[in-house]
């Protein structure tokens, strides 16, 4: 059954108009009154789950549906992985956001790293962030997730560590891991032993600079490795996500 993100308060029996994007998708699929669909509102808070719904009316640019039974099903990863990812060039970042969402990432923060080819600011940054959030929504519709990961504002590493100071000896604080090629790294699954949340930092093409790695280590990020091969910037964080969320 086709699934659509509908960021509204959903309740059994309610009649609602689908948001424009979902309405266009219903029309492209040539659904008709009486056809069934699945709706989810995607919020991190609230009841979650998904709702059955039935198409009531197909307008020229709008679609009205009736919300049906709620199903409290969740398909989230067993541990929350928050990805701090160096911004990669062009379609590679789209691909990273899409696949990270499919793998269960809890949130994504695009990192404006020293070696990032794509530099974002102003209106261009706003458009890119809205685009990446839409990519995450579409990935949730496809893969069955009912909670959409937030794509946070782009930030450089110095700004991120200022906004997220390392708490003193707090066992409930997320583990901080850094994907690194430096000597003395630990295998990822050893460094990530346990079941708590994780902040995972990975660089863009060319990796993080030496200064950025040093800053990360100073703020609690433990250097880790995925093995002897050097993976592409868009592949490495996905391999780590798979290892941490599917193990």
């Amino acid at each position: 059954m086709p699934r659509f993100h509908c960021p509204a308060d959903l309740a059994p029996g309610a009649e609602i108009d689908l948001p424009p994007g979902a309405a266009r998708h219903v029309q492209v699929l040539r659904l008709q009154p009486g056809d069934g669909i699945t709706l989810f509102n995607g919020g991190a808070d609230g009841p979650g789950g998904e709702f059955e719904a039935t198409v009531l009316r197909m307008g020229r640019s709008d679609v009205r549906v009736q919300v049906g039974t709620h199903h409290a099903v969740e398909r989230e990863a067993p541990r929350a992985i928050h990805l701090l990812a160096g911004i990669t060039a062009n379609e590679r970042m789209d691909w990273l956001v899409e696949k990270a969402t499919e793998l269960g990432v809890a949130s994504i923060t695009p990192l404006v790293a020293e070696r990032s080819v794509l530099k974002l600011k102003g209106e261009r940054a706003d458009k890119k962030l809205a685009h990446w959030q839409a990519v995450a929504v579409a990935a949730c519709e496809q893969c069955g997730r009912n909670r959409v990961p937030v794509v946070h504002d782009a930030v450089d590493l110095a700004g991120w560590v200022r906004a997220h100071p390392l708490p003193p000896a707090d066992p409930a604080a997320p583990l901080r891991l850094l994907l690194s090629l430096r000597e003395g790294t630990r295998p990822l699954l050893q460094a990530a032993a346990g079941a708590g949340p994780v902040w995972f930092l990975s660089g863009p093409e060319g990796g993080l600079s030496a200064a950025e790695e040093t800053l990360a280590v100073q703020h609690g990020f433990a250097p880790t490795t995925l093995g002897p091969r050097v993976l592409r910037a868009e592949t490495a964080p996905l391999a780590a996500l798979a290892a941490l969320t599917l193990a």
Side-chain angles (χ1 to χ4, degrees):
M1 188 177 295
R3 304 179 74 253
F4 301 99
H5 178 237
C6 185
D9 291 333
L10 302 175
E15 294 185 13
I16 63 171
D17 291 324
L18 293 181
R24 284 193 298 272
H25 195 178
V26 167
Q27 291 166 334
V28 167
L29 292 175
R30 299 176 181 266
L31 299 182
Q32 298 299 318
D35 287 342
I37 60 175
T38 299
L39 299 178
F40 64 101
N41 61 19
D45 300 320
E50 58 194 24
F51 292 79
E52 297 177 13
T54 304
V55 177
L56 295 178
R57 180 175 62 82
M58 298 285 293
R60 297 188 64 178
S61 60
D62 63 294
V63 175
R64 192 160 185 82
V65 303
Q66 183 171 48
V67 181
T69 304
H70 176 254
H71 299 281
V73 59
E74 295 293 351
R75 304 179 181 94
E76 294 304 291
R79 103 190 268 185
I81 311 298
H82 301 275
L83 180 60
L84 183 58
I87 298 174
T88 54
N90 302 320
E91 301 85 16
R92 292 180 182 177
M93 193 67 184
D94 291 8
W95 191 82
L96 173 57
V97 171
E98 178 184 76
K99 302 309 176 187
T101 300
E102 292 177 20
L103 288 167
V105 73
S107 72
I108 301 170
T109 301
L111 178 70
V112 184
E114 291 183 23
R115 294 173 179 159
S116 291
V117 175
L118 181 63
K119 304 294 185 182
L120 296 179
K121 59 182 179 180
E123 183 179 354
R124 187 186 186 196
D126 294 339
K127 288 181 177 179
K128 272 293 184 184
L129 291 172
H131 170 72
W132 289 329
Q133 190 66 70
V135 169
V137 166
C140 285
E141 291 178 337
Q142 180 274 322
C143 75
R145 288 185 68 179
N146 291 321
R147 299 186 185 272
V148 179
V150 175
V151 180
H152 295 289
D153 290 342
V155 66
D156 61 19
L157 185 57
W160 190 91
V161 298
R162 282 196 301 270
H164 299 81
L166 189 63
D170 183 358
L175 186 64
R176 300 185 180 199
L177 300 178
L178 160 68
L179 191 61
S180 174
L181 296 176
R182 65 168 59 190
E183 294 183 3
T185 57
R186 298 175 62 197
L188 174 65
L189 293 183
Q190 287 185 16
V198 174
W199 272 108
F200 190 82
L201 171 59
S202 183
E205 297 93 340
L208 297 173
S209 69
E212 286 172 324
E213 283 209 20
T214 298
L215 180 63
V217 171
Q218 289 172 344
H219 287 81
F221 283 88
T224 62
T225 179
L226 292 170
R229 293 176 298 281
V230 178
L231 304 182
R232 295 181 71 103
E234 68 273 23
T235 306
L238 297 178
L241 274 169
L244 293 173
T245 62
L246 302 179

